[in-house]
Amino acid sequence: MNEQQDKVIFHIDFDYFYAQCEELRKPELRNIPCVVCVYSGREEDSGVVSTCNYKAREYGVKAAMPIKLAKSKLKEVEAIFLPTDMPYYHEISADVMKIIQNYGELFEQVSVDECYVDFTKITNSDFDDAKIFASSLQKNIKDQSKLTCSIGVGPNKLISKIASAVIKPNGITVVSREDAKNFISNCKIEDIPGVGPKTMKKLQSLGIKSISDISKNSIFELRDVFGYKTAAFLLNASNAIDYSHIKARETSKQIGKIVTLKKDTANVEQVSLTTVNLCTSVYENLSNKKQAFKVLTIILILENLQHLSISRSLKLYTASFDELQKNSLSIIKEMIKNNSISIQNIRRIGVVVSELKDISGQNSLLNYLEN
Ligand code: TTP
Ligand code: CA
């Protein structure tokens, strides 16, 4: 099996995001249609719907619809129309993405409410484990943020992205490596991200009506119409193949490391030793970047894939190894005690520091590090 074939990629998409953010601060909106609008300001009610909750969708309201039309669809019922509040949605987005990033795996945020994560290691490259893990992840996100999301799991970004839209809201759709070809063959061509009206028109001109039809063409036939790059993309997509990588952002706002314990030797000493090693690695990274941190998160993933994480905000920024180690060990002790965890059940441990601050301008860095 090569590296590509081993992957387990998650696409996480928050449900009716802007409207769900509105419900978060006004829970009474949950029971009525709630429509978030971009008002053009030209005249009252001119503009379009940005998104709406699922109650409003029951009446046929959807994104990009004129506000006037949405109002007419909801004229018989009590409904609320709100203007967008982008700074607020971005604040919530940063918080929920941090929860996902705290798992310490390769992460790429692709929009305000969507991200990809490579969970190959945590799931051991197994799609049955991935299903269990997806439930625990979804629950953890809900517990911490009070927001629901839908998760698609697949062997690559393309399949996971399409899968996340299959069951919504609060859905989980897992498409294993073996099922991927069959899954994509049953999707519509428009479901492939990036395929718009222009591409559809060209495909129709070739007599191509389905994803299976695409896969029957040779790269040469498609290349003449689309150019090599798009032809290769379409042909690969029609065979459930996608070579695109998860692109972690350069400006990472946290430093962390997560490792798997050797199951047969899990004991208190090993857990402590692994934690100290993780702290050493995080500390090295932190001091290389000349940064201090304020928030420490410990992640424990148990044998049954249950995920536990605790974040502790320190009183002051610190770049001290002793502080990092002392706090990490005490958090782990607390987690084991509070959740009655048996040491043998711990499968992975992670140490993540965030709320980083540059200290490269400090003249006496060494002093700072030791304080
Ligand atoms: P989406 O993820 O496409 O939609 P959604 O989160 O509202 O609903 P769901 O995923 O449950 O189907 O878009 C994310 C946010 O982007 C959405 O909350 C509002 C904004 N958006 C617009 O402003 N205009 C649009 O036309 C679309 C599609 C989204
Ligand atoms: Ca969404």
Side-chain angles (χ1 to χ4, degrees), residues 5 105 128 140 159 181 211 251 258 269 288 339 342 344 356 366:
Q5 287 169 328
E105 300 297 342
D128 291 331
N140 187 37
I159 299 296
K181 176 76 203 284
I211 291 184
T251 53
I258 188 161
E269 285 75 29
N288 281 340
N339 296 284
S342 151
Q344 286 79 26
L356 305 179
L366 267 179

Side-chain angles (χ1 to χ4, degrees), residues 13-19 38 49-52 54 57 63-64 112-114 168:
D13 179 9
F14 284 82
D15 302 318
Y16 62 106
F17 187 61
Y18 295 180
V38 181
V49 170
S50 171
T51 192
C52 58
Y54 280 71
R57 294 184 195 193
V112 69
D113 76 331
E114 265 177 86
K168 255 186 161 301

Side-chain angles (χ1 to χ4, degrees), residues 26-39:
K26 283 201 202 104
E28 63 274 19
L29 301 181
R30 287 182 198 283
N31 306 317
I32 55 171
C34 167
V35 186
V36 178
C37 305
V38 181
Y39 290 94

Side-chain angles (χ1 to χ4, degrees), residues 289-292 356-362:
K289 290 184 171 149
K290 299 190 172 49
Q291 287 183 313
L356 305 179
K357 186 165 114 176
D358 243 332
I359 51 171
S360 54
Q362 306 267 331

Side-chain angles (χ1 to χ4, degrees), residues 32-89:
I32 55 171
C34 167
V35 186
V36 178
C37 305
V38 181
Y39 290 94
S40 71
R42 244 175 283 139
E43 54 182 281
E44 207 197 327
D45 286 352
S46 68
V48 292
V49 170
S50 171
T51 192
C52 58
N53 64 5
Y54 280 71
K55 276 248 172 309
R57 294 184 195 193
E58 286 170 21
Y59 294 86
V61 178
K62 51 186 177 188
M65 175 179 275
I67 297 168
K68 283 187 188 123
L69 180 56
K71 284 208 164 165
S72 75
K73 286 184 183 287
L74 292 167
K75 65 176 181 297
E76 306 290 338
V77 290
E78 186 198 352
I80 183 141
F81 287 75
L82 298 167
T84 53
D85 179 352
M86 295 313 295
Y88 170 61
Y89 309 144

